Amino acid sequence: MGAFLFNKNNLSFLLALSVVFLPVFIRPALAFDGVVFRKDAPIEVSGESVIYDDAKKTYLAEGDVVITQLDMTLTAQKAVLDMTEGKARAEGNVVVTQSDGNYMNADSLDIDMDKETAVIINGKLYFKDNNIYIYGAEIKKTGKETFESSAVKITSCDCENDESPAWSFSAKDAKVTAEGYFTGSHSFFYIKDVPVLYSPFVILPVKTKRQTGFLTPEFGYSRLRGTKVDNSFFWNISDSRDATFYLDIESKRGLGKGLEYRYFRTNRSFGEFWFYHFKEDDMDRVRSFRSGEDNLSRPLSATDDRWRLDYEHMEFLDKGVSIKADINLVSDDEYFIDFAKDSKERSIESLESKFSVAKSWDKYNLTVQARVFDNLLLKNDDGVLQRLPEALFTATSQNVGSSPFYLSLKSSFVNFERQEGVEGQRLDMMPQVSLPLDAGLFDVTPSFMPRWTMYEARNDPSGGEGFRKRYIYEFETAATTSLVKFSGADFWGFEKIRHIVRPRLAYNYVPPLRQTSLPSFDEIDRVMAKNEISYSLNTTLSGKFRDGEVRENIFYMDVSQKYNLREANGDDRIDPLRKRPFSDVNAEVIFKPSDRFLASSKAAYDIYDKWVENLDSAIAVSDKRGDNISLSYRFVRGLSRYAEGNAVLAVTQRWDAGALARYSFMDDKYIEKGYFVDYKHQCWSVRVKYSERLEERIVFFTFGLQGLGEVFSASAGLSERKK
C-alpha cells in the first residue's frame, strides 16, 4: 500500500487554508420573514383572560395566550397588542410558528407593525428548508427582511436546550439580509463546545436562489501532483445565464484554469461552453507515472500546454428550421488519460465535432452538416476522413396518389476530405417502393429499393480518378404479425398480464456487383450481395396491478438469425466446401419486474463453432433501505473480456459502505477499484474513499455539514507507480 503522504507540513498548510476559507463557503438558504403582525388583517386572540378596548383597538391577554393571524400563530403567557399604534409585546415562553414549518422561541418579543421591526430576547430561530437554528441573546429585526445581533450561534443540529450541538459556529456583530448575505466578525467553528477554527470575518450567502460566490475548494496531496488546491467561483449573471471560473493549483505539476458558461436565452435557444487549460511544468515527468501500461498507451503528442474545448448550442427557428453545434476539441491524444472525470471518459478513443442546420416538414427532412473527427489512437489525423460538408434528405413513407403503393426516400451528398488518401464527393439516393398487403393473420409487405451512387474521386492510388457511378437494388418481402393474449395473474401484485408475440419472416435479395473500382469511404461503398432469409421473434409481457397501475415491458425478448442462400449454394465463399449459411443467433433479454430489479443480456452465438461471439450482461438490485448492487460483464471474442461491479450497503441508518471494481480477464488484472465508507450524523457527514487506478492510488476525504453543504474535501496519493 505504501505510506500515507500527508506529512505535518502538508496538514498544517491545509488547516491554515481551512481556517481562512471554511466560513466563507458555507451556504445556508434561509427565509427571514414573519414575526411581525399586520394591522390590516383579521386577528384572533384567546387566553385565560382577554380584555379588548374597542375604542383604542387594544388587546390585553394573559394565561396560555394564543394569537392567530394569516399563516402565523403566537403563543405566550402574556401579550399586549395596540392595533392603532401598531405596537405589540409578548412575554413568557413566546413561540411563533408559520405554516411553512419555520418557528421562533423567545423569552420576550417586541413588535413595531408599521416599521416591520422586532426585538427578540433570548431567541431561537428555526428555518425548516435547511434545518438551520440561529441563537442570540438579543436579535433585532431591523426591517422587512433584515436582522442583526451583537452575537449569534448557528447550527443545523437538533438538540435539547441543555445539550451542545455536534457543530456550530458563532459570530459577533452579525447582520442578515434575506436573499442577501450574513456578515459577522470574530467567527469560531465549534465541535461540541470546543472552538477548532477561527476567522476574523465571515460573509455567507443567505439565498434560496442561485448566488454568486466561491464553491467548496478541494485540497489534496500526492507524489504526482504535490500539494493540490482546486478552486472555483460561480457567477450568477442572471436567471438565464451563469458562469463558473476554475483555478487548480498542483505544486509539483502545474496550473489549471477553466471557464464554464451556460445560457438559456429561450426554450428554443440554449447552450453551454467549457474551456480548460493546464500548464504542465514537466510533461515527461507526468508520463513516467503511467508508463508501461498497455491500456493507457496513446501517441505521445502532448506538450506542456494542455487544453479542452466543448461547446454545445441548440437553436430552434421558425418554420421547422433548427441549428445545432456540438464542438469537442482537445490539445493532444493523451488528454483524457490525465484529466478524465470517470472511466468512461478515460477510455474515449475518438472525438467528433459537428455543426448542422436542419429543416423539417411534415414528411420530409433536410440536414446540412459538417463533421470533423479526431482519432486519439493515431499520431496524426492526416488519413482520417472528414465530412465537409454532408447533406441528408429523407422522406417518410407516404401513399402515392390513390394507388396502394407507398414511397419513401433516403439520400445523401458528402464531400470527403483528408490530408492523405482518397477524397472526393459522393451522391447516394435510395428510394423505397412498398406495397402493404393484408394476408389474413400476417401483414405482408414487398419492397423494392433501387440505389444510385455517383462519385467524383481524387488522389485514388488505383488510378480511378474522375467520375464513377454505381447502380444496384435490393428486394425485400417481410411478413409480420402480432399475437396478443390477456390472462389473469396472482403474483408480484399483478391481477392481469398482457403477452404480445411479434414474429417476423423476411426475404432479402441484392444482386452480386463488382465494386472494387469504386473509392471506399465507408460502408455505403461496398454493398454486399444478398440472397437470404431472416427471422425474428419478439415478445413482451406487461402487467396491471390490483391498484390499477400498469407496468409496461416487465419482460422483453428478441431472437433473430439469417440464412444465406448464396453461401448454401457455394456461391459466396472462396472455399465452397466449407458452407456456413446460418448467421450467428442474436438474442436480447430484459427483465424488469419492478423499479428495484433489472436484468439484461445481449449475445451472439456461433452455431457452428458452438461458442458465444460476444456477450453483454448486467444485473442491478436495490431495496428500500438503500442497499444496491450492480454487476456487468462484457465479452468480445479475441478482443476484450472484463467485468464491473458496484455495491452499496446501508449497514445501519448512519453507516454506508460501498465498493467498485473493474477487472480485465484478458490482462488478468484490475483496471480500477475503489472502496468508500460514509457516516451520516443528523447534522454532519463524513466520506472516506479509496480509489486505485493503474497509475495512481488516491484516498479522498469529504466532510459535510447538513444544511450548509460540503465544506471540506481532500485527497492524498498513495505510492503511485513510477517506472
Side-chain angles (χ1 to χ4, degrees):
M1 289 288 291
F4 192 86
L5 296 180
F6 264 137
N7 58 38
K8 186 169 70 174
N9 293 333
N10 301 134
L11 186 59
S12 300
F13 170 76
L14 295 180
L15 285 176
L17 287 174
S18 300
V19 170
V20 175
F21 286 111
L22 175 63
V24 180
F25 292 101
I26 299 176
R27 273 185 167 76
L30 309 180
F32 288 97
D33 54 5
V35 303
V36 175
F37 292 113
R38 293 175 54 180
K39 295 167 61 176
D40 57 351
I43 191 168
E44 295 183 8
V45 181
S46 65
E48 294 178 2
S49 171
V50 178
I51 301 174
Y52 175 64
D53 188 327
D54 185 54
K56 297 181 180 180
K57 297 188 182 301
T58 61
Y59 294 86
L60 172 60
E62 294 181 307
D64 297 330
V65 177
V66 179
I67 303 176
T68 304
Q69 187 180 66
L70 300 177
D71 65 343
M72 186 189 307
T73 300
L74 180 149
T75 62
Q77 291 304 307
K78 181 179 180 180
V80 178
L81 280 77
D82 187 333
M83 305 306 288
T84 302
E85 296 294 327
K87 306 289 186 181
R89 175 177 175 80
E91 57 187 42
N93 296 323
V94 180
V95 179
V96 180
T97 59
Q98 293 178 277
S99 59
D100 58 8
N102 296 345
Y103 69 82
M104 180 208 74
N105 294 348
D107 288 348
S108 67
L109 170 65
D110 288 279
I111 297 172
D112 188 321
M113 303 179 201
D114 293 328
K115 297 180 181 179
E116 295 187 312
T117 61
V119 177
I120 304 164
I121 301 300
N122 291 330
K124 177 176 75 172
L125 282 71
Y126 173 74
F127 303 94
K128 185 177 180 180
D129 282 350
N130 294 74
N131 204 69
I132 297 295
Y133 298 88
I134 297 182
Y135 300 85
E138 182 182 67
I139 302 174
K140 296 180 180 179
K141 188 175 190 296
T142 57
K144 184 176 181 179
E145 293 183 317
T146 57
F147 283 75
E148 65 180 39
S149 177
S150 59
V152 295
K153 180 173 71 173
I154 298 178
T155 185
S156 66
C157 299
D158 299 332
C159 54
E160 301 297 332
N161 292 331
D162 57 349
E163 181 184 357
S164 298
W167 68 264
S168 63
F169 74 87
S170 66
K172 294 185 177 180
D173 301 321
K175 295 182 179 180
V176 181
T177 302
E179 294 302 328
Y181 293 90
F182 172 97
T183 61
S185 61
H186 300 292
S187 175
F188 283 91
F189 180 78
Y190 289 85
I191 296 178
K192 286 294 186 178
D193 293 322
V194 180
V196 294
L197 297 175
Y198 169 78
S199 179
F201 181 74
V202 60
I203 178 170
L204 316 174
V206 285
K207 304 183 179 183
T208 58
K209 301 177 182 178
R210 297 180 309 163
Q211 59 270 330
T212 297
F214 287 96
L215 304 179
T216 305
E218 182 176 289
F219 307 101
Y221 179 84
S222 71
R223 286 178 52 199
L224 171 60
R225 298 173 175 83
T227 300
K228 172 184 171 66
V229 183
D230 291 348
N231 299 289
S232 51
F233 180 82
F234 177 79
W235 179 21
N236 181 29
I237 303 171
S238 68
D239 290 341
S240 59
R241 293 183 299 153
D242 61 51
T244 306
F245 301 89
Y246 300 90
L247 180 64
D248 302 335
I249 303 169
E250 298 184 10
S251 64
K252 290 187 177 182
R253 185 175 172 188
L255 182 67
K257 296 85 63 183
L259 167 65
E260 182 179 12
Y261 175 66
R262 301 183 301 172
Y263 57 92
F264 194 91
R265 293 178 54 244
T266 68
N267 59 359
R268 297 171 61 86
S269 178
F270 46 88
E272 183 173 353
F273 172 85
W274 159 264
F275 180 78
Y276 187 79
H277 174 267
F278 195 92
K279 181 66 175 179
E280 301 277 10
D281 292 338
D282 186 350
M283 188 60 213
D284 290 334
R285 177 182 174 275
V286 174
R287 289 193 185 107
S288 69
F289 280 83
R290 53 178 165 82
S291 61
E293 300 296 347
D294 293 338
N295 77 311
L296 297 179
S297 61
R298 289 288 194 278
L300 303 182
S301 59
T303 65
D304 288 342
D305 285 298
R306 320 282 300 280
W307 55 266
R308 180 182 181 184
L309 185 150
D310 284 355
Y311 176 60
E312 294 184 21
H313 177 80
M314 195 72 203
E315 188 85 22
F316 295 96
L317 305 177
D318 295 334
K319 298 181 179 180
V321 178
S322 61
I323 301 173
K324 183 178 182 180
D326 187 1
I327 311 301
N328 298 280
L329 304 173
V330 292
S331 58
D332 55 82
D333 299 320
E334 304 169 79
Y335 183 89
F336 289 109
I337 296 177
D338 298 319
F339 297 100
K341 298 177 182 178
D342 51 44
S343 59
K344 183 178 179 180
E345 192 174 79
R346 187 179 173 88
S347 62
I348 290 177
E349 296 181 352
S350 65
L351 293 175
E352 178 185 356
S353 295
K354 181 167 66 175
F355 178 83
S356 64
V357 179
K359 164 67 176 174
S360 296
W361 297 269
D362 288 341
K363 296 183 178 181
Y364 305 98
N365 181 270
L366 173 64
T367 301
V368 179
Q369 58 190 17
R371 300 171 66 189
V372 177
F373 301 88
D374 179 8
N375 191 319
L376 303 178
L377 302 181
L378 299 177
K379 189 171 185 179
N380 65 68
D381 289 339
D382 292 347
V384 177
L385 205 60
Q386 314 296 351
R387 296 169 179 256
L388 300 169
E390 176 180 37
L392 309 171
F393 180 77
T394 60
T396 59
S397 183
Q398 51 196 291
N399 192 241
V400 181
S402 59
S403 72
F405 293 95
Y406 284 77
L407 177 66
S408 63
L409 173 67
K410 294 180 181 179
S411 62
S412 65
F413 174 80
V414 190
N415 177 59
F416 295 100
E417 291 189 2
R418 53 163 49 120
Q419 297 297 317
E420 297 176 358
V422 184
E423 55 184 13
Q425 292 84 38
R426 182 186 70 201
L427 174 64
D428 182 64
M429 295 183 293
M430 188 173 71
Q432 176 174 330
V433 181
S434 57
L435 178 63
L437 301 172
D438 185 357
L441 182 61
F442 283 85
D443 295 325
V444 179
T445 306
S447 301
F448 179 68
M449 293 156 280
R451 188 168 205 160
W452 293 274
T453 312
M454 288 161 277
Y455 300 87
E456 180 71 29
R458 303 183 301 275
N459 304 324
D460 192 338
S462 65
E465 297 286 333
F467 177 79
R468 275 168 282 179
K469 61 182 178 180
R470 176 192 66 187
Y471 169 73
I472 199 168
Y473 66 89
E474 179 174 357
F475 175 77
E476 178 186 85
T477 297
T480 61
T481 190
S482 294
L483 307 175
V484 183
K485 181 181 180 181
F486 292 91
S487 59
D490 190 18
F491 57 91
W492 293 333
F494 292 109
E495 68 171 5
K496 186 176 289 187
I497 292 292
R498 183 186 66 194
H499 184 199
I500 302 177
V501 178
R502 304 180 186 89
R504 183 179 189 272
L505 183 66
Y507 170 74
N508 291 77
Y509 177 79
V510 177
L513 180 68
R514 185 177 179 85
Q515 302 168 71
T516 55
S517 63
L518 301 176
S520 181
F521 298 121
D522 56 32
E523 67 279 356
I524 288 179
D525 304 312
R526 297 293 183 267
V527 179
M528 304 303 294
K530 288 183 182 179
N531 186 12
E532 65 186 22
I533 299 171
S534 62
Y535 74 86
S536 66
L537 183 65
N538 177 286
T539 183
T540 59
L541 286 177
S542 300
K544 181 181 179 181
F545 290 96
R546 295 186 184 92
D547 61 4
E549 179 188 352
V550 176
R551 183 180 299 280
E552 298 288 346
N553 298 328
I554 301 169
F555 177 79
Y556 168 88
M557 182 182 70
D558 184 82
V559 179
S560 62
Q561 190 181 24
K562 297 177 181 179
Y563 181 78
N564 191 326
L565 295 170
R566 287 178 53 81
E567 191 165 340
N569 296 330
D571 299 332
D572 200 32
R573 300 191 64 88
I574 297 176
D575 182 3
L577 298 178
R578 188 172 180 268
K579 299 177 182 179
R580 291 191 168 190
F582 283 102
S583 71
D584 294 341
V585 178
N586 293 285
E588 181 177 11
V589 177
I590 300 174
F591 181 49
K592 189 178 180 181
S594 73
D595 292 334
R596 299 189 180 277
F597 182 89
L598 172 65
S600 65
S601 186
K602 191 174 184 179
Y605 180 75
D606 188 324
I607 65 171
Y608 297 104
D609 292 328
K610 293 183 171 43
W611 61 35
V612 175
E613 288 288 346
N614 55 72
L615 173 66
D616 278 296
S617 295
I619 186 171
V621 184
S622 63
D623 60 24
K624 294 181 180 179
R625 280 197 342 151
D627 303 315
N628 64 79
I629 184 170
S630 63
L631 300 170
S632 62
Y633 177 78
R634 178 172 175 77
F635 167 76
V636 179
R637 183 165 297 280
L639 294 178
S640 65
R641 186 162 67 99
Y642 69 88
E644 177 178 336
N646 288 273
V648 176
L649 177 63
V651 182
T652 67
Q653 289 185 342
R654 293 190 174 185
W655 286 94
D656 287 347
L660 158 71
R662 293 185 179 91
Y663 186 81
S664 171
F665 295 95
M666 300 283 286
D667 300 321
D668 193 23
K669 62 183 176 183
Y670 284 97
I671 302 172
E672 182 178 358
K673 58 183 176 181
Y675 313 92
F676 76 85
V677 176
D678 283 346
Y679 178 77
K680 295 170 290 186
H681 189 269
Q682 179 270 319
C683 57
W684 57 273
S685 62
V686 175
R687 165 172 283 203
V688 180
K689 179 181 178 182
Y690 168 77
S691 179
E692 180 177 324
R693 297 176 177 176
L694 290 171
E695 81 281 11
E696 187 175 31
R697 304 176 189 179
I698 305 177
V699 172
F700 297 91
F701 174 81
T702 303
F703 177 63
L705 301 180
Q706 192 270 334
L708 305 183
E710 181 181 300
V711 297
F712 182 78
S713 180
S715 62
L718 296 174
S719 62
E720 296 96 333
R721 63 183 66 188
K722 184 175 181 180
K723 298 182 179 180

